Amino acid sequence: MSTNETQLPANFIRQIIADDRASNKHNGKVATRFPPEPNGYLHIGHAKSICLNFGTALENNGTCNLRFDDTNPEKESVEFMESIQRDVQWLGFTWDALYHASDYFEQLYEYAIQLIEQGQAYVDSLSAEQIRTYRGTLTEPGKESPDRNRSIAENLELFKRMRAGEFADGEYVLRAKIDMTSPNINMRDPAIYRIRRVHHHRTGEAWCIYPMYDYTHCISDAIEGITHSLCTLEFEDHRPLYDWVLEQLQTPCHPQQIEFARLQLEYTIVSKRKLNQLVTENHVSGWDDPRMPTLAGLRRAGFTPKAIRDFCERIGMTKQNSWIEMGVLEYCIREDLNENALRAMAVLQPLRVIITNYPDNQIESLEISNHPQRPELGKRIVPFAKVILIEQDDFAEIPPKKYKRLILGGEVRLRGSYVIKCNEVIKDAEGNISELHCTYDLDTLGKNPEGRKVRGVIHWVSEQHAHAAEVRLYSRLFSVPQPDNEANFLNALSRDSLEVLADCRVEASLSNANIDHRYQFERTGYFCLDAIDSINGKLVFNRTVTLRDGWVKD
Ligand code: ATP
Ligand code: MG
């Protein structure tokens, strides 16, 4: 992907980087990284960080690494690592190098030895619980551990024995020796290594001690020569620790940490822990359920990388956490699909219409063209015959006020075809409408004879030519705008976020529907083939988004 040549909107990060380049800081170089923990699939919040990190590199002729922050082996897996790579590439980005924090375990260990030798780290035997109580609070300073003044020699020996597996999990930790009275709790001798006997998906059983995130992250950045370490706001209070570690170790490079606001999107959640819970407790069909805010889910629902990148640019980059309306994301996908989706007709809830005065075995090939800006996406031949299907709700026996569709004795135009008039309603034994008998007017193909008033235009398919399809209509997964703020977010799950219409009919041109294509079904929305369930000729369409925003409050 190449950078956009047009002027990009200013934001505080673009400004910092432009200034740094102008002053030749970091030798004018820009190197970023996207550092996911492989403990879940990427979500729309990650997309913001991906677009920022990769985008910043592209805009500045720099580099961006993908780095797996894999220091928590219990929750991480190869499946997650693979999905993350797939999703970053799908969004349209290519990393300059792929690394793992675990690639640096040996170096991180050496650096820890250096801290101990410098008298800046010590092995502590306090329990996790004790460390917590010794830490103090926002208003009270912390208390020093009795182990804080262990000799360097003793610390070195204990730390080496920790690595050698001589102690039980939790028996000791290695802590940075900073300041137990610091107003910043992160600086009160944070743990930097803990003992944990757990299999690591890359290093196997090689290690029984694992470095903590804050310690690992800054050193990994420095090892890779990152210039700007872009992260979310909650790390602001960790920045002094980031800088402290690098200063003590005199690393050859000292990246600059810059924080930005996390994306919070209404009617959904962007916490991997909670998304994981939705999957493992079967509230959704998987990480790629089209209702999920994961990139895999959005992809399966029919969202395009372009729309998501556009969304990430549109929401801007600030230092204030705020909630973004779902309508913004939907706007971006509509913009893209309105321009780029193929046009088609699909009848989601079919009602049979017999055109009684149409010759029995006649089939006409009507040319329909309904994308004036990009005719190649709208032009096609649609067969017309005596029996057609229309939407059940495009006919009303007792029409509501201002009803513009078909009524008994009324006329309506069939898109790209004739005007028909309904003469008779046929009902089954239970009194349900089973079919309509209509007549067509030969003079009305492609034109309205003078003086003729037709109430509206409806879509249709020829019964004998149409293909059966299942259509899945999705709506918001949660019924409240900020489910994350609920006591139990599961209680805010919407009960009707999925509606399956099993007996739909789509126009003949969709027989070669392709999973890479997007479709605008006339009047019903934008759709794509379901990548998983459309097999053996079965057509399953997912609705990506409705044609218009039905959520706007009146
Ligand atoms: P989660 O709370 O979902 O586990 P995380 O921040 O722990 O999120 P990581 O895998 O560590 O997830 O995230 C990788 C990168 O993506 C980090 O730099 C993180 O700051 C960024 N990121 C994660 N969530 C968001 C979000 N909602 N908005 C913007 N950036 C995000
Ligand atoms: Mg994280």
Side-chain angles (χ1 to χ4, degrees), residues 413 417-419 443-454:
R413 171 171 291 283
S417 174
Y418 299 99
V419 170
D443 282 342
T444 57
L445 185 61
K447 60 176 194 293
N448 272 350
E450 225 167 299
R452 187 80 157 263
K453 256 185 109 180
V454 179

Side-chain angles (χ1 to χ4, degrees), residues 33-39 41-50 53 69 84 213 217 230-235 260-264 270-273 275:
R33 84 287 169 267
F34 171 63
E37 183 180 355
N39 61 349
Y41 279 58
L42 296 180
H43 53 60
I44 185 76
H46 291 115
K48 177 176 180 181
S49 176
I50 295 169
N53 280 293
D69 162 28
I84 289 169
Y213 177 83
H217 197 76
L230 310 174
C231 64
T232 35
L233 276 185
E234 69 271 23
F235 289 104
F260 62 93
R262 281 177 94 78
L263 166 64
Q264 305 176 98
V270 286
S271 145
K272 274 187 285 182
R273 184 179 61 76
L275 293 175

Side-chain angles (χ1 to χ4, degrees), residues 44-103:
I44 185 76
H46 291 115
K48 177 176 180 181
S49 176
I50 295 169
C51 290
L52 172 64
N53 280 293
F54 284 92
T56 298
L58 282 166
E59 286 162 30
N60 293 284
N61 212 359
T63 57
C64 181
N65 296 341
L66 173 61
R67 183 198 316 138
F68 288 111
D69 162 28
D70 56 350
T71 54
N72 251 324
E74 293 98 320
K75 296 183 185 141
E76 298 163 4
S77 77
V78 173
E79 177 199 347
F80 294 144
M81 289 211 295
E82 288 173 350
S83 75
I84 289 169
Q85 293 177 56
R86 189 162 60 235
D87 291 346
V88 170
Q89 288 172 322
W90 176 74
L91 255 195
F93 299 105
T94 309
W95 44 88
D96 290 275
L98 173 70
Y99 294 116
H100 307 79
S102 57
D103 297 337

Side-chain angles (χ1 to χ4, degrees), residues 346-353 387-395 432-436 459-463 466-471 501-506 524:
V347 175
L348 306 191
Q349 288 170 304
L351 170 61
R352 214 160 177 245
V353 173
V387 183
I388 61 165
L389 303 168
I390 66 169
E391 294 290 350
Q392 285 167 19
D393 65 7
D394 279 344
F395 173 79
N432 298 316
I433 300 174
S434 58
E435 60 185 47
L436 303 178
H459 59 277
W460 55 275
V461 294
S462 156
E463 185 184 58
H467 291 276
E470 176 177 313
V471 168
L501 301 172
D503 198 24
C504 310
R505 293 290 183 278
V506 299
T524 57

Side-chain angles (χ1 to χ4, degrees), residues 183-239:
N184 183 340
I185 293 183
N186 295 305
M187 299 298 272
R188 295 182 189 169
D189 292 9
I192 58 176
Y193 265 93
R194 58 194 171 149
I195 305 174
R196 188 148 288 203
R197 278 180 184 68
V198 18
H199 176 85
H200 188 285
H201 48 100
R202 294 193 75 245
T203 58
E205 323 305 321
W207 293 87
C208 64
I209 55 172
Y210 289 99
M212 304 297 282
Y213 177 83
D214 281 333
Y215 172 74
T216 308
H217 197 76
C218 53
I219 296 176
S220 306
D221 280 348
I223 291 172
E224 292 176 22
I226 300 303
T227 56
H228 299 85
S229 180
L230 310 174
C231 64
T232 35
L233 276 185
E234 69 271 23
F235 289 104
E236 198 163 22
D237 290 344
H238 298 235
R239 185 171 1 117

Side-chain angles (χ1 to χ4, degrees), residues 519-536:
Y519 302 92
Q520 185 197 84
F521 289 170
E522 184 146 352
R523 295 172 60 230
T524 57
Y526 293 102
F527 293 80
C528 73
L529 265 192
D530 186 85
I532 309 293
D533 296 332
S534 300
I535 37 166
N536 302 330

